[in-house]
Amino acid sequence: MKLHKKLTTASGRPYVENENSQSVGVRGPLLLQDYILHEKMAHFNRERIPERVVHAKGSGAFGTFTVTHDITKYTKAKMFSEIGKETKVLLRFSTVGGEKGSADTERDPRGFAMKFYTEDGNWDLVGNNTPVFFVKDGKKFGDFIHTQKRDPHTNMKSPTMMWDFWSLNPESIHQVLILMSDRGTPYGYRHMNGYGSHTYSMLDSANQRTYVKFHFKTAQGIRNFTNEEAAQMKARDMDFSQRDLMENIDAGNFPQWNLKIQVMTEEFANSLDYYLNPFDLTKVWPHGDYPLIDVGVLELNQNPHNYFQDIEQAAFAPAHIVDGIGYSPDKMLQGRLLSYPDAHRYRLGTNYEQIPVNRCPFATNNYQRDGQMRVDGNGGEKPNYFPNSFDDIQIDQAYKEPPLEVNSHFADWYDRNCEGENDHFSQPGNLFKIMTAEQQQNTIHNIVSHMSGIEGPKKNEIVNRQLSHWYRVDGRLGAGIADGLGVEVVMEKLE
């Protein structure tokens, strides 16, 4: 005979009345002593944790990463130690600017956040489906995101705010061009690439540093919606990407991505003056100069059993690295090292890394104690200070990183777009040139459609300012957009 579970309170007390509140008579007032009513309502009131400020709408799944090529000459990270080695991974996809209830097919970058559960700790590689970003300094991030959210006056999305910011920050134009192409509306999550985007570093067994870019190329092939198809899918299924991912994994059609890296020696990175700033998030490393190197295969093969537990509570931070992988002077990366863990402490609590999906499956030993929702034993009777004479925690000097060579004796507030750092147009121009004629026309159509939403007394000023950037990217691009917007351009004013 099958034994059934008892219905209990959170404290384990079995109870019977789960649908009827205790009252004085059939129609009388309720009694304060009905604790079950209190517990159910109080928990319900607290079910919604603060949504992510960005990347609020997301999907995710578990899987494995398998090494297929030897890169131990670049890194001593244990997850890359031998061909065939497998590491469990969690991958979360997301839109960036929309709220949790927004549509999956909005024109927006897509988050591509990975957590690798390695024996040296969890490695979080937190990127997007684009190799670049809109800004290059973390100080500008909050201002940019404000323009992608709701207007504080109208409480509606505002193309005017978006294009005003972009037109005042030409460093954004590379990412804006990608966003306005059909890559801005990918066909779900399985058919898009993922990128670490930032420049990171790798350390080999001799502690020699190499700078690196991470690329995850979809094995399913690139597939995008057109602007009109994305709008139609938004009306038909706001959760298209979530449904597509879950149904394919449930059916055994496990999506895969091939990890490839670009590498650059530390010496060469320090010698690049005006040719390329390898730490500028608005730029790519040309593949002809820094070819892609094969590393391994990432496969998603397990849907979460409970979305909130495994995906909503998942917390990714680029600060979480492992031995053999390090940071770089990328200013946006440096800013994210602080802001991401801080966001998780606010949203999930100071002990967020004890939540099962975030917890390292291998040993963690430190002197952090107390705080809300401490559930790991809190160190038991062991000391909460270091050094001490009682416990057996020791520092392993083998994990010590080599010093980082800096190329300046001065600390100052440098113009992020100073001479040598202000070519915003060559790379997006090259990108537009390699698009097919159809892709170019779709991109122009998408830009015209989006910029047509600019309104208000500053409309002409914003439109003209942004048009000057498009012309500098490519004359055909600028002319096509101007024609679509019905703007007559006097070329002398663009010189």
Side-chain angles (χ1 to χ4, degrees):
M1 181 178 177
K2 183 178 180 181
L3 296 177
H4 295 284
K5 296 178 180 178
K6 293 184 176 69
L7 176 65
T8 74
T9 65
S11 61
R13 169 194 164 194
Y15 68 95
V16 175
E17 290 291 353
N18 195 37
E19 297 182 85
N20 303 303
S21 298
Q22 190 176 28
S23 62
V24 181
V26 176
R27 300 182 180 180
L30 304 186
L31 294 184
L32 186 62
Q33 71 182 32
D34 190 350
Y35 171 73
I36 309 303
L37 170 64
H38 302 170
E39 180 171 284
K40 290 186 68 176
M41 293 303 299
H43 190 279
F44 175 78
N45 289 344
R46 292 161 176 80
E47 284 181 358
R48 297 295 176 264
I49 63 175
E51 73 174 28
R52 290 169 168 86
V53 179
V54 288
H55 299 277
K57 177 75 180 293
S59 306
F62 294 96
T64 55
F65 174 78
T66 305
V67 178
T68 58
H69 293 75
D70 183 8
I71 59 166
T72 54
K73 68 178 180 179
Y74 300 118
T75 179
K76 58 184 176 180
K78 291 179 181 177
M79 64 173 289
F80 299 117
S81 61
E82 59 182 334
I83 293 176
K85 182 161 187 177
E86 290 188 355
T87 300
K88 183 179 178 181
V89 64
L90 169 66
L91 173 51
R92 182 179 186 269
F93 309 95
S94 55
T95 51
V96 176
E99 296 99 347
K100 195 172 185 299
S102 59
D104 284 351
T105 57
E106 297 279 6
R107 183 168 300 281
D108 204 5
R110 300 301 192 272
F112 199 98
M114 293 157 283
K115 187 181 293 290
F116 297 87
Y117 299 94
T118 90
E119 59 263 56
D120 260 348
N122 293 345
W123 174 37
D124 291 351
L125 186 56
V126 188
N128 287 321
N129 69 328
T130 59
V132 296
F133 195 61
F134 298 92
V135 292
K136 61 174 76 174
D137 192 307
K139 220 175 222 185
K140 297 186 65 62
F141 184 74
D143 293 302
F144 162 66
I145 293 299
H146 285 167
T147 71
Q148 307 302 295
K149 295 291 188 177
R150 295 182 179 272
D151 186 304
H153 170 58
T154 66
N155 195 41
M156 295 185 290
K157 291 294 187 76
S158 169
T160 304
M161 289 200 311
M162 296 180 189
W163 289 104
D164 187 38
F165 182 88
W166 290 335
S167 68
L168 288 167
N169 290 275
E171 69 196 78
S172 68
I173 201 159
H174 195 174
Q175 173 74 315
V176 174
L177 179 63
I178 297 174
L179 177 64
M180 291 297 151
S181 74
D182 287 341
R183 289 173 65 181
T185 49
Y187 186 92
Y189 296 130
R190 298 180 302 119
H191 293 278
M192 68 182 196
N193 294 338
Y195 303 88
S197 300
H198 295 289
T199 299
Y200 291 88
S201 59
M202 285 183 164
L203 295 169
D204 64 16
S205 58
N207 273 341
Q208 295 297 309
R209 181 178 286 107
T210 301
Y211 288 114
V212 60
K213 293 271 197 182
F214 295 100
H215 303 249
F216 289 81
K217 299 292 189 178
T218 175
Q220 290 69 240
I222 296 289
R223 184 178 177 186
N224 300 309
F225 285 117
T226 65
N227 197 52
E228 289 68 31
E229 289 170 342
Q232 291 168 6
M233 183 56 71
K234 177 180 177 180
R236 190 161 71 243
D237 185 358
M238 293 183 68
D239 301 316
F240 169 79
S241 299
Q242 166 85 1
R243 195 179 317 281
D244 177 75
L245 181 67
M246 287 202 71
E247 289 182 350
N248 275 276
I249 293 177
D250 280 343
N253 183 24
F254 302 143
Q256 294 183 340
W257 287 262
N258 297 307
L259 172 59
K260 302 171 186 289
I261 60 173
Q262 292 176 287
V263 297
M264 182 187 297
T265 65
E266 187 175 25
E267 294 75 19
F268 196 69
N270 290 334
S271 71
L272 291 174
D273 293 325
Y274 296 101
Y275 161 61
L276 174 70
N277 178 354
F279 312 118
D280 183 347
L281 186 56
T282 66
K283 306 291 194 304
V284 298
W285 293 1
H287 288 195
D289 299 328
Y290 310 96
L292 296 177
I293 299 170
D294 290 317
V295 180
V297 177
L298 187 155
E299 177 184 272
L300 297 183
N301 49 39
Q302 179 188 333
N303 280 316
H305 296 300
N306 184 277
Y307 179 88
F308 181 88
Q309 172 184 275
D310 294 333
I311 305 303
E312 189 64 25
Q313 291 191 123
F316 306 85
H320 297 160
I321 56 172
V322 294
D323 189 45
I325 298 173
Y327 311 127
S328 83
D330 181 331
K331 291 182 178 180
M332 275 295 294
L333 172 60
Q334 294 280 317
R336 295 175 79 198
L337 300 181
L338 165 69
S339 63
Y340 273 58
D342 187 54
H344 302 322
R345 295 183 191 106
Y346 160 73
R347 195 174 72 91
L348 299 171
T350 190
N351 291 312
Y352 72 92
E353 291 188 83
Q354 292 178 37
I355 299 172
V357 72
N358 299 321
R359 187 172 59 221
C360 174
F362 302 92
T364 57
N365 302 292
N366 55 54
Y367 297 91
Q368 297 175 7
R369 298 290 190 270
D370 307 342
Q372 289 182 326
M373 300 300 292
R374 190 83 197 194
V375 296
D376 66 345
N378 201 32
E381 61 185 17
K382 296 178 181 178
N384 63 351
Y385 60 93
F386 179 86
N388 68 76
S389 305
F390 305 100
D391 69 20
D392 57 356
I393 299 177
Q394 295 182 348
I395 293 175
D396 187 345
Q397 293 294 331
Y399 288 86
K400 183 177 177 60
E401 290 191 14
L404 177 67
E405 180 182 351
V406 295
N407 56 9
S408 177
H409 299 290
F410 304 98
D412 204 346
W413 288 267
Y414 296 97
D415 183 356
R416 70 192 185 284
N417 292 320
C418 63
E419 187 68 30
E421 305 289 341
N422 57 357
D423 179 6
H424 311 304
F425 308 109
S426 295
Q427 287 199 357
N430 292 336
L431 175 60
F432 185 75
K433 287 180 177 64
I434 65 173
M435 291 181 181
T436 65
E438 180 183 10
Q439 290 170 337
Q440 289 179 345
Q441 192 55 47
N442 284 353
T443 300
I444 292 172
H445 170 73
N446 296 339
I447 294 172
V448 170
S449 176
H450 205 282
M451 287 187 66
S452 295
I454 302 173
E455 58 188 10
K458 296 286 186 177
K459 173 181 178 178
N460 291 339
E461 178 183 332
I462 296 170
V463 168
N464 289 331
R465 187 165 56 221
Q466 184 63 39
L467 270 178
S468 72
H469 301 327
W470 290 130
Y471 268 99
R472 287 178 171 88
V473 170
D474 186 279
R476 294 168 301 153
L477 175 63
I481 296 169
D483 182 64
L485 292 173
V487 176
E488 183 178 354
V489 176
V490 181
M491 294 304 296
E492 288 79 9
K493 293 183 179 181
L494 297 175
E495 295 177 353

